[in-house]
Amino acid sequence: MAEAELISRFDALLADLDGVVYAGPQAIPGAVESLQRLNGIGVGLGYVTNNASRSPAEVAQHLRELGAPAEDQQVVSSSQAAAELLASMLPAGARVLITGGEALAREIELAGLVPVRSEAEDPVAVVQGFHPDLGWKDLAEAAYVVAAGALWVATNTDMSIPQARGMAPGNGTLVAAVAAATGRRPLVAGKPEAPLFHAAAKRLAADRPLVVGDRLDTDILGGNNAGFATVAVLTGVDTRESILAARTLERPSFLINDLTDLYRPYPAIEHDGDGRYRCGGASAERLGTSLRVSGNPADLDSWRAACAAWWAANPETPTAKAPSLEWLDH
C-alpha cells in the first residue's frame, strides 16, 4: 500500500505568497501547478499575506495572471488586519495617517475610519504598511505624528522581501526608521500574530489547515501561534541551516523543498533510543554542541533527521542556536 501524500493529512492549505508562490513578478517553479491540484483532492486554499501594498483583489488578480487559483475572498492581508485592529480601538470617523499605499487607505476607509496623508490633518493614529514608492517625507510625516503620542499600528514588520533579483528591504526596515526617530514601537497587526491565520481558516471552514511559508519569524511563528501545523519551504528567505538553528517557537512541523513536495509521502522520523534520529536513509545524533549526520547534505532527509535530533536535545530555546555539523556521507 502506497504511503499517503503529506497534503492528504489536512483539509486546507494556508499559503504565504512572497517566497512561496512567487518571487517578484515570477511564479516559483512548481508552485502554480501544486496549488491547482488542491481542488481536485478536496483541500481548501487560502492566501495569508503581510504585503499591504496591494488590495486583496489586486493580489488575487496577480495570482490568477500567474495561473494560480484565487478568488478575492481567498486572500487575507495584513492591511485588513490593521484596519480591523484600529477600528476596534478608535471611534468611527477617526482620522488615521496612512504611511503606505492606496490599498492600505482603502482598507482603513472600509473599516469606518478616515485616511489622511499629513500631520496637518490632525490624525489620532498612524498605520504603516509597505509600498515601494514610500520616501523620506512619508516616514518623516509618520514620525511627527507618532512622536506626538498617536496610536501607531504596523501592518507587519518583515525586514526583507524576496524579489527576482534578491532580497529587498521590507516594511520592518521602514518601521524601524520611524521607531529609531521616535523611540516608540508600534502594535503589529499581521503575521506573526494568530488572527490572520484564524480568519483565513474560518473563511475556508477548515479544521485541519496546514500553514506553508518561507519565513520562520512570520509564517511559521504565526502558524504555530494559531495552533496549526506548519511547513517551511526552501524557496524564499530561510535556509536549511537557519531552520535547524530555529528557536523553539519558530520550528516548523515539516520541512520541504518546494510546494511539489506536498504531493509526496513525508518520511517518518524514528528515534532509536540512543539519541539517534533517523529519516529515510539518513540519521543524526547530538554530540555536545555538535551534530553528527550520516547522510548527504543535498538530501533533505539528512536535515530532517538533524532537526529532530537537535530540537530534541534543545527543547526550550528562546533564541536561535546552531550546532556545528559533522557530515558522514554514506
Side-chain angles (χ1 to χ4, degrees):
M1 181 177 176
E3 289 185 74
E5 300 168 343
L6 173 59
I7 193 61
S8 69
R9 308 183 194 183
F10 305 98
D11 61 358
L13 185 71
L14 304 183
D16 177 51
L17 296 175
D18 292 319
V20 174
V21 181
Y22 52 69
Q26 303 298 322
I28 289 169
V32 167
E33 295 79 7
S34 298
L35 296 171
Q36 290 172 337
R37 292 176 64 181
L38 292 171
N39 187 55
I41 59 173
V43 174
L45 173 60
Y47 300 100
V48 183
T49 176
N50 265 354
N51 187 340
S53 65
R54 293 183 293 177
S55 69
E58 290 167 332
V59 172
Q61 177 62 31
H62 179 214
L63 287 165
R64 290 192 293 270
E65 289 169 355
L66 294 175
E71 300 295 331
D72 294 358
Q73 69 272 14
Q74 287 178 276
V75 179
V76 184
S77 73
S78 62
S79 57
Q80 290 176 320
E84 291 173 12
L85 177 59
L86 284 163
S88 73
M89 301 177 74
L90 297 171
R95 293 171 179 266
V96 178
L97 179 74
I98 307 299
T99 308
E102 287 305 312
L104 180 57
R106 282 198 297 274
E107 294 297 340
I108 293 300
E109 200 166 27
L110 288 171
L113 304 170
V114 177
V116 300
R117 288 289 182 174
S118 75
E119 184 259 350
E121 295 175 89
D122 297 323
V124 297
V126 175
V127 63
Q128 187 168 357
F130 178 79
H131 193 277
D133 294 335
L134 281 177
W136 179 88
K137 290 183 178 180
D138 302 294
L139 298 181
E141 209 69 31
Y144 303 146
V145 179
V146 169
L151 174 63
W152 181 22
V153 171
T155 59
N156 66 293
T157 52
D158 295 43
M159 296 304 289
S160 60
I161 299 175
Q163 299 289 290
R165 292 162 59 192
M167 289 297 165
N171 196 50
T173 63
L174 305 179
V175 168
V178 177
T182 63
R184 293 188 58 198
R185 293 290 184 273
L187 298 175
V188 180
K191 295 183 279 187
E193 304 305 318
L196 264 181
F197 297 93
H198 287 152
K202 184 177 180 180
R203 289 189 193 183
L204 298 171
D207 297 316
R208 303 183 317 280
L210 175 65
V211 174
V212 58
D214 67 305
R215 298 184 69 113
L216 298 179
D217 60 347
T218 55
D219 308 317
I220 304 305
L221 177 58
N224 289 343
N225 283 340
F228 299 154
T230 54
V231 55
V233 66
L234 297 171
T235 49
V237 172
D238 274 294
T239 64
R240 295 165 175 82
E241 291 81 4
S242 65
I243 293 168
L244 174 61
R247 66 190 183 105
T248 304
L249 294 175
E250 296 181 357
R251 292 171 179 172
S253 313
F254 306 98
L255 174 61
I256 60 176
N257 285 302
D258 55 46
L259 293 186
T260 64
D261 280 351
L262 293 172
Y263 298 93
R264 297 185 176 94
Y266 197 87
I269 305 292
E270 299 173 347
H271 181 212
D272 67 5
D274 293 325
R276 184 179 292 107
Y277 287 78
R278 301 181 184 279
C279 182
S283 67
E285 59 181 324
R286 180 183 68 114
L287 302 171
T289 59
S290 301
L291 272 184
R292 177 177 292 165
V293 185
S294 178
N296 189 329
D299 181 1
L300 201 55
D301 283 349
S302 299
W303 293 93
R304 291 163 173 159
C307 287
W310 186 243
W311 295 350
N314 298 276
E316 297 296 332
T317 306
T319 58
K321 183 179 180 181
S324 58
L325 293 171
E326 178 188 351
W327 290 94
L328 304 176
D329 196 352
H330 59 188

